[in-house]
Amino acid sequence: MTATPDDTLHDLVARAIRAPSSHNTQPWIFCLGGEAVELHADRRRALPVNDPEDRELTISCGCALMNLRVAAAAAGLAARTTLLPDADDPDWLARLETAPGPGPEAHLGDLDPAIDERRTWRKRFADTPVPRDAVDDLKGAAAAEGAWLEVLADGDERERAAALVAEGDHRQWDDPRWRRELAAWMHPRRAGDGLAVPGLAAPLAHAVVRRFDMGGGVAARDGQLAEASPLLAVLGTREDGPGQWLRAGQGLQHLLLKARQHGLQASYLNQPLQVAELRPRLRELVGRDGQPQILLRLGVADTDLPASPRRPLDAVLESAD
């Protein structure tokens, strides 16, 4: 393939890092070389209590990879993606090779504007139903990346999912290690990562989260959010493991960008997946073969939100050896 200019590759990475990640950890490193961009896991930004197997870390990197593919298509480049290129290097998650001219994924370029519009909406959504054609598009986006999306439409399913979310909240907040890890990622916006809190309030927020079990109040709120969501759905894959987690991340980001085209935003209620004992119960609730990876809710947000902070581009870029 003909070498792609470094400035263009930098631009692609600048789009990739707009992807969502757990606690906004941004656990990725990009290495540039010739016509290719390599995606590596940055395990220094892992969450060993919340995500002991680095499952969500890998899903987050999959989201960034999807953005990279979309940006390449929008730039008029053909792209070829290889997952887990080196079995001896588990940190090397993917390699994207580019060439001039449109490729088989040129249609993904239509999603590029949604990269800047996507937000994580943590409040209650407007009482606006999600149209059937939007649901079909979301399912198609997940399927295109080797994942599946199962909608929890039945009232009993929603109640059971909400109960799992609430139980997960109680278990997590009861764990001092989990609270300390959460507090460690609560940063002033100027830090460029983490869960942004006002600078003057950060010390108080850290102290409260570290010292007090607020699981009861959080569980009640999250349970209500789950039951009241216009669309509550589970994203999953056929199997588990790093390759499937990367597919889950690409499927998640693909459907998030597609959701923006339908005027929707999303947020996550992943407690039943983060607490290992609850994950089989969510799988049973979904009632299909495979492994649930993400529990998300989607709907119409009634106000705009600022973008979450991001680290500078040079903090996530390295030269390939």
Side-chain angles (χ1 to χ4, degrees):
M1 290 186 176
T2 304
T4 302
D6 280 352
D7 286 349
T8 301
L9 296 181
H10 279 69
D11 290 342
L12 301 188
V13 174
R15 308 298 286 153
I17 64 175
R18 299 306 312 166
S21 58
S22 298
H23 290 8
N24 194 24
T25 51
Q26 304 167 49
W28 41 62
I29 291 291
F30 297 88
C31 299
L32 307 184
E35 76 289 343
V37 180
E38 297 177 2
L39 170 62
H40 295 255
D42 188 346
R43 311 274 181 196
R44 299 168 298 180
R45 310 182 75 78
L47 300 168
V49 181
N50 192 67
D51 183 29
E53 295 183 336
D54 285 352
R55 183 183 62 85
E56 289 192 359
L57 180 152
T58 309
I59 290 174
S60 299
C61 288
C63 290
L65 177 60
M66 187 70 229
N67 272 5
L68 197 67
R69 291 167 53 201
V70 168
L77 297 173
R80 182 176 65 193
T81 304
T82 305
L83 301 183
L84 304 174
D86 185 349
D88 294 326
D89 185 356
D91 290 343
W92 187 3
L93 299 181
R95 175 181 170 87
L96 183 135
E97 297 175 89
T98 63
E105 295 189 337
H107 61 285
L108 293 179
D110 294 340
L111 296 172
D112 186 71
I115 291 176
D116 291 324
E117 299 171 1
R118 184 208 60 81
R119 301 286 187 271
T120 299
W121 180 257
R122 295 182 173 85
K123 300 178 183 179
R124 183 170 177 142
F125 288 114
D127 294 329
T128 305
V130 177
R132 181 68 218 182
D133 65 325
V135 176
D136 290 343
D137 275 356
L138 300 181
K139 289 184 175 182
E145 307 308 329
W148 48 259
L149 187 73
E150 194 73 27
V151 175
L152 304 180
D154 180 77
D156 178 64
E157 291 177 338
R158 283 171 167 263
E159 289 181 9
R160 291 167 61 193
L164 288 176
V165 170
E167 184 174 348
D169 277 325
H170 280 294
R171 293 197 188 197
Q172 288 180 324
W173 281 91
D174 189 50
D175 185 345
R177 299 172 307 136
W178 185 88
R179 298 201 306 270
R180 287 195 295 269
E181 186 174 83
L182 175 63
W185 283 95
M186 298 173 69
H187 299 161
R189 175 171 286 273
R190 65 178 180 274
D193 62 5
L195 304 169
V197 294
L200 294 177
L204 177 60
H206 290 172
V208 169
V209 169
R210 286 174 180 271
R211 296 177 186 175
F212 297 102
D213 178 357
M214 296 186 291
V218 174
R221 182 201 65 194
D222 286 346
Q224 291 172 356
L225 287 177
E227 291 197 57
S229 298
L231 186 69
L232 186 66
V234 177
L235 176 82
T237 52
R238 291 189 303 274
E239 299 174 351
D240 243 351
Q244 293 295 305
W245 300 340
L246 284 169
R247 294 189 184 282
Q250 291 177 94
L252 173 61
Q253 186 66 0
H254 196 157
L255 78 83
L256 292 177
L257 298 180
K258 184 65 70 172
R260 280 308 302 144
Q261 293 185 326
H262 288 278
L264 305 174
Q265 296 284 17
S267 68
Y268 315 98
L269 295 168
N270 285 327
Q271 297 89 329
L273 296 154
Q274 294 161 345
V275 177
E277 297 83 359
L278 301 182
R279 195 178 180 199
R281 290 164 58 183
L282 182 62
R283 183 169 61 245
E284 180 183 359
L285 170 59
V286 173
R288 66 171 292 169
D289 293 337
Q291 296 292 333
Q293 305 290 355
I294 298 288
L295 176 60
L296 71 162
R297 59 191 194 96
L298 298 103
V300 175
D302 54 14
T303 59
D304 292 331
L305 289 176
S308 297
R310 286 296 184 273
R311 293 191 289 162
L313 193 58
D314 59 9
V316 302
L317 278 175
E318 295 181 358
S319 297
D321 294 333

